[in-house]
Amino acid sequence: MTTDPGQALTATEIYVAVATITVFGIGGQWIGRRLGFPSLLLLLPLGLLAGDVLGLVDPEALLGDLLFPTVSLLVALLLFQSGLKLRFADLPDGAWSPVVRLLTVGMAIAFVGASVAALLILDLDVGLAFVLGAIVVVSGPTVVGPLLSTVRPRKPLPSVLIYEGTFLDPLGATLGVVVLTVVLAGGAGDVHPVLYFLGRVALGVVVGLGAAALVVWVASRFWLPYKMEAAVAVMFAVGAFALSEVLLPGSGLFAALTLGMVLANQRRVSLRPAEAFGETLEVLIIAALFILLGALVTIEGLRQYAWEIVLLVAVLVVVVRPATAAVSLLGTQLGWRDRALIGSIDPRGIVAASTAAAFTGSLAAAGFDSDFLLPVVFGVVLGTGVVYGLGASPVARALGVVRPTPRGVALIGHRPWVADLASRLEDLAVSVLLVTARPTEEAKSLEHDTGVPTISLDDTHANVRDAAHRADIGQAVICAPADAAITLLDIHLIEIMGRRDVLRLPDGRQTDALGQRALADRSAHPFGSGVDLQDIESRVAAGATVKILDRPPTDDDLMLAAVSPDGVPNLRPGSIAPGRDDTLIALVGTGERPSPSA
């Protein structure tokens, strides 16, 4: 789909472009998550494929003058969604100081180091070199988050890196606007660059705070229908961004991020639908941005600056980032191993690419040769993604800062015996998360009564995921009759944890062979061999109780779990023989142990 400049696209070409963006963008993220590597490594090449190679997407012809305002708005919504995840109460002790150091001293070192590297490697004008240096300062949660889920560093490293990446996006973009303005003005201009920068930060924060106050005020008066909360939150995010940008260009990203952070940390009203909807919104925005921006790049441009890109990536990875971490984190509570890992993770993301795309046109209109900017930044984004995507995990293992293999257990079910099993596991120092189908209020009451962390299926996916992360879940046991919600959770758990670590207790009411086969094929079974939910329910109804055995098990005991002396749980004692020193948990009481199924 190649068009002449100024030529309008036909309806067919528009449909093809929109379909390509959707399929390539969402499909690339899907494949990346399924295979366990950052989807960035697929999305940028897919954007290049959609644009320069296949000619299916021409962003400038598709959107025209709307292209860069649309990109900026989508980036703002992405930051709004990222802000909704920043709960200050979850930030570990000792993490604030490293985050602040990285966002001040660290950003300054990265900016100067990247600018000097660009000046020497690309032989640029000083102003253009500093423009490029400002652009590649940013990192971003959309690339850091997936990388950390693979690396699994110990606390507080994930929080430090996520907070750094999230705040660097608007800070770096605003820094780029300041530097670009100075370059285009041919000097400092009427306003000092520092005041120019701080003014945009301040205005964005004020507008974001005002928008957050309005959202909370409206929600607290129950003026929002439950199903409209997410849409209205997005409406306020768009409004805050637009108002801030109109008042002072370059401040809108701070408004969107501030709005998200305030909503995440206020306790007056619950905005769970907005948080849940935000995850779908994030996938769609990332799909659109990466494919659109990747389609602006040409293979010829990448080839022309190939060696410069390789050298620039090498300097950023080997010199600039380690120096940034070493200097800015000196004197913090982080040990040298933690500081070394932070110095080994700094991928660039969508904000760098979108800023470069927007700046290219402004520089070209002012008579600057800016053809280098987009392919070089695109190459840096892809290059750092490959280096950190492949190298961060081995470095973390070599430094010894990887969290141990998860040992926690998620028990999904609302029967009293499931809560009793959770309590007995907790008594043996096993980390447990109880997931119930009861409403959120009842889940909180159950947590208060049992002392076991409990969350409701009615809660947001983000909250369920956060609770599972805190419990360090390595296995999940589904002890509930199959229904739509449980089946979806079952599938989602298998996708995240793998089939081996998701155990489903057969219902026992499934009489047809096809249904039994489907349950058997989906996941392994917990507890004793041949046991199903109805077996346990009948024992409990007859008076059986869940106990920690202080004697050898008998034929009447139904084994539920075995816990090793170092706290490793075995939820399949009927299939995996307990160790000699394991502590056993069983359903003790009336009823004979079911015979093994054929």
Side-chain angles (χ1 to χ4, degrees):
M1 186 183 69
T2 303
T3 58
D4 296 329
Q7 179 182 346
L9 298 181
T10 65
T12 299
E13 290 171 332
I14 293 173
Y15 294 147
V16 169
V18 172
T20 301
I21 292 169
T22 304
V23 173
F24 280 21
I26 297 178
Q29 294 177 76
W30 178 20
I31 294 172
R33 293 188 184 186
R34 288 289 298 164
L35 299 182
F37 63 86
S39 55
L40 163 74
L41 302 184
L42 269 181
L43 290 175
L44 286 179
L46 283 173
L48 186 65
L49 180 67
D52 189 49
V53 178
L54 299 179
L56 299 175
V57 178
D58 184 343
E60 293 175 318
L62 181 65
L63 295 173
D65 293 339
L66 292 175
L67 176 59
F68 296 117
T70 300
V71 167
S72 297
L73 176 58
L74 292 178
V75 170
L77 289 176
L78 205 56
L79 284 176
F80 167 66
Q81 162 62 11
S82 298
L84 287 174
K85 301 176 183 177
L86 298 182
R87 296 178 178 85
F88 298 150
D90 296 337
L91 195 64
D93 293 337
W96 267 118
S97 177
V99 169
V100 172
R101 296 277 195 91
L102 287 168
L103 294 176
T104 52
V105 177
M107 188 177 77
I109 295 172
F111 171 48
V112 174
S115 301
V116 172
L119 182 66
L120 297 177
I121 294 171
L122 291 161
D123 192 24
L124 298 174
D125 174 81
V126 173
L128 293 179
F130 276 88
V131 169
L132 178 57
I135 292 174
V136 298
V137 158
V138 300
S139 179
T142 58
V143 287
V144 173
L147 185 59
L148 293 177
S149 66
T150 302
V151 177
R152 289 183 49 81
R154 66 191 182 192
K155 294 181 180 180
L157 295 177
S159 297
V160 171
L161 289 165
I162 286 291
Y163 272 70
E164 179 203 16
T166 302
F167 283 101
L168 271 182
D169 271 355
L171 286 172
T174 305
L175 176 64
V177 170
V178 172
V179 176
L180 177 67
T181 302
V182 172
V183 170
L184 294 180
D190 298 330
V191 181
H192 193 281
V194 174
L195 295 178
Y196 190 99
F197 179 85
L198 294 178
R200 277 149 179 77
V201 174
L203 178 65
V205 170
V206 169
V207 172
L209 288 172
L214 282 175
V215 173
V216 173
W217 184 73
V218 169
S220 65
R221 280 156 179 74
F222 304 100
W223 291 352
L224 287 181
Y226 183 78
K227 294 184 178 180
M228 286 291 293
E229 286 184 3
V232 171
V234 172
M235 177 192 78
F236 274 96
V238 172
F241 167 78
L243 175 62
S244 193
E245 281 291 312
V246 168
L247 294 176
L248 204 55
S251 62
L253 296 184
F254 285 102
L257 177 59
T258 301
L259 172 59
M261 285 193 304
V262 174
L263 293 183
N265 290 279
Q266 58 82 31
R267 294 293 178 265
R268 187 171 181 181
V269 297
S270 174
L271 295 170
R272 291 193 302 271
E275 298 172 15
F277 177 73
E279 296 186 356
T280 300
L281 186 68
E282 181 178 310
V283 171
L284 295 174
I285 291 174
I286 291 174
L289 286 175
F290 273 109
I291 303 304
L292 278 173
L293 296 175
L296 290 172
V297 183
T298 65
I299 293 179
E300 178 57 34
L302 290 174
R303 183 184 298 116
Q304 181 180 354
Y305 296 100
W307 283 111
E308 289 87 347
I309 291 171
V310 170
L311 288 175
L312 183 57
V313 169
V315 171
L316 292 175
V317 170
V318 178
V319 179
V320 175
R321 181 59 177 182
T324 298
V327 176
S328 60
L329 298 177
L330 192 64
T332 63
Q333 296 180 16
L334 298 178
W336 73 268
R337 296 177 187 274
D338 296 328
R339 298 198 298 270
L341 184 66
I342 291 175
S344 304
I345 296 180
D346 189 29
R348 272 62 176 180
I350 195 62
V351 174
S354 62
T355 305
F359 285 8
T360 298
S362 299
L363 289 168
F368 290 90
D369 181 8
S370 60
D371 291 343
F372 74 95
L373 192 58
L374 191 55
V376 169
V377 172
F378 184 100
V380 168
V381 172
L382 187 58
T384 55
V386 170
V387 171
Y388 294 123
L390 297 178
S393 289
V395 170
R397 288 194 295 270
L399 291 171
V401 295
V402 178
R403 280 180 292 162
T405 302
R407 294 182 175 182
V409 175
L411 296 176
I412 296 96
H414 58 275
R415 301 289 201 267
W417 68 267
V418 179
D420 291 340
L421 175 58
S423 295
R424 301 295 83 74
L425 288 168
E426 280 262 328
D427 291 341
L428 297 177
V430 175
S431 178
V432 181
L433 174 66
L434 185 59
V435 183
T436 177
R438 298 176 184 178
T440 302
E441 293 73 16
E442 292 187 27
K444 292 180 180 178
S445 176
L446 182 61
E447 178 174 345
H448 179 269
D449 294 340
T450 62
V452 177
T454 306
I455 196 163
S456 170
L457 280 174
D458 290 342
D459 215 327
T460 66
H461 172 63
N463 286 346
V464 174
R465 182 190 58 208
D466 291 345
H469 179 72
R470 288 193 297 272
D472 202 28
I473 298 303
Q475 295 181 80
V477 184
I478 299 176
C479 309
D483 59 23
I486 293 295
T487 300
L488 288 174
L489 179 62
D490 189 356
I491 295 171
H492 184 65
L493 288 171
I494 289 175
E495 288 180 350
I496 294 176
M497 305 174 65
R499 194 177 301 273
R500 183 181 61 181
D501 294 320
V502 179
L503 311 177
R504 168 177 272 283
L505 185 63
D507 196 330
R509 296 176 300 182
Q510 196 83 15
T511 56
D512 63 291
L514 182 61
Q516 289 283 9
R517 179 63 182 272
L519 286 174
D521 288 345
R522 186 153 58 220
S523 56
H525 297 173
F527 313 143
S529 178
V531 175
D532 58 40
L533 184 59
Q534 295 306 305
D535 295 327
I536 295 180
E537 293 290 350
S538 62
R539 286 174 176 263
V540 172
T545 56
V546 179
K547 293 184 177 181
I548 298 174
L549 295 182
D550 56 2
R551 54 168 174 77
T554 67
D555 290 339
D556 288 338
D557 298 330
L558 176 57
M559 301 299 301
L560 299 179
V563 180
S564 68
D566 58 350
V568 178
N570 171 12
L571 278 303
R572 302 180 64 194
S575 303
I576 303 173
R580 178 181 300 178
D581 297 325
D582 287 1
T583 302
L584 305 179
I585 301 175
L587 192 63
V588 178
T590 58
E592 295 182 356
R593 184 185 181 93
S595 60
S597 59

